[in-house]
Structure formats: structure tokens, C-alpha cells
Amino acid sequence: MLLRSGITGGTEFYIYYTELGWPYTLGVVNDDLVTELYRFRYSSYSASGKLNKFITIIDPDGIKQNPDGTSINNPPTIQTSDTLLFDTSGILTSISRRYPLTGDPNDAFTISYGAGGSSLNMNDIYFGS
């Protein structure tokens, strides 16, 4: 199995769930180092909650973080934060990706969607803040 970090073997997966059984954090561990970390956040932690944020942190050399999530020493190789937005009917309207490592608001893009019958169509992609 080839993972985004490029690690190919000796891998363990750790998955933590909310009380409702939804994924909360997925860690990929190789040689006792967390090389990939995925965090799932929801609009609320009730049955009506929706996934509204997806955070990805990847570092083949191992993610080094303080308990509050801040990086120790070098920042990870890849870090993104995706926000999912829904209309009042619960239909996905856009996904925005930010690259928080650079601090540059132009290091972002948004994909907007529109419903087309029973499918979801991509309308536009916007780059920058």
C-alpha cells in the first residue's frame, strides 16, 4: 500500500471515533512515528451534524506536535484545512482548501457546486482568498 507520505510498509492505523461512531482522528504510524494525521470535525456532535472540516497533516519524517496541536521544530511537509459548506437543504455548495503553513491568504482555493437533478455539479474553482 502506498500512502500519501510515501511510506510503503510496516504501517499501523489508529482511528478515534466520536460518541456517535463518526471518525474523529485517523493516524498512520510507521516505525513508531505518526507520518499522516487526518482530523474530521463536524458542525455539531448530534445526529444532525455534518462533516464541515477536514484537516490533513503529512510528514514522512514523523509529525512532531505539542499537545495543543502546534508544531515542534520543523513544520510538516503538507498541511491543509478543508472547509465544507452546505445550503439550508443540506446540499454541499462549496469546499475551500487553505494551506495554513504559508500564512498567505492567497494560498487557497474554493470549489463551488450546484445541484443538477440527482447529482452535484462543479460550477467554479476560485484561487486566492
Side-chain angles (χ1 to χ4, degrees), residues 93-104:
T93 58
S94 67
I95 300 173
S96 294
R97 168 164 284 182
R98 297 221 179 268
Y99 297 91
L101 290 178
T102 65
D104 184 345

Side-chain angles (χ1 to χ4, degrees), residues 1 3-5 7 9-17 22-41 54-59 62-63 65:
M1 174 187 307
L3 300 167
R4 288 183 65 189
S5 59
I7 302 299
T11 304
E12 296 177 15
F13 295 87
Y14 292 90
I15 304 173
Y16 298 92
Y17 296 93
W22 301 342
Y24 189 74
T25 301
L26 179 135
V28 178
V29 178
N30 181 273
D31 292 332
D32 295 326
L33 294 173
V34 177
T35 56
E36 299 183 24
L37 190 63
Y38 301 92
R39 295 179 176 151
F40 308 89
R41 301 301 181 253
F54 184 79
I55 300 163
T56 303
I57 304 171
I58 298 175
D59 191 339
I63 298 166
Q65 290 188 324

Side-chain angles (χ1 to χ4, degrees), residues 7-129:
I7 302 299
T8 57
T11 304
E12 296 177 15
F13 295 87
Y14 292 90
I15 304 173
Y16 298 92
Y17 296 93
T18 67
E19 289 180 3
L20 293 172
W22 301 342
Y24 189 74
T25 301
L26 179 135
V28 178
V29 178
N30 181 273
D31 292 332
D32 295 326
L33 294 173
V34 177
T35 56
E36 299 183 24
L37 190 63
Y38 301 92
R39 295 179 176 151
F40 308 89
R41 301 301 181 253
Y42 302 89
S43 58
S44 73
Y45 292 93
S46 64
S48 63
K50 291 188 178 303
L51 178 68
N52 68 353
K53 188 170 285 272
F54 184 79
I55 300 163
T56 303
I57 304 171
I58 298 175
D59 191 339
D61 296 326
I63 298 166
K64 302 155 196 78
Q65 290 188 324
N66 293 309
D68 66 358
T70 58
S71 181
I72 297 173
N73 299 330
N74 297 323
T77 306
I78 298 170
Q79 182 174 338
T80 62
S81 178
D82 299 331
T83 302
L84 288 72
L85 300 174
F86 300 88
D87 67 13
T88 55
S89 306
I91 296 173
L92 181 68
T93 58
S94 67
I95 300 173
S96 294
R97 168 164 284 182
R98 297 221 179 268
Y99 297 91
L101 290 178
T102 65
D104 184 345
N106 293 316
D107 284 349
F109 70 85
T110 299
I111 302 171
S112 68
Y113 295 91
S118 61
S119 63
L120 194 62
N121 300 317
M122 183 171 53
N123 291 340
D124 299 297
I125 299 177
Y126 303 96
F127 293 93
S129 55

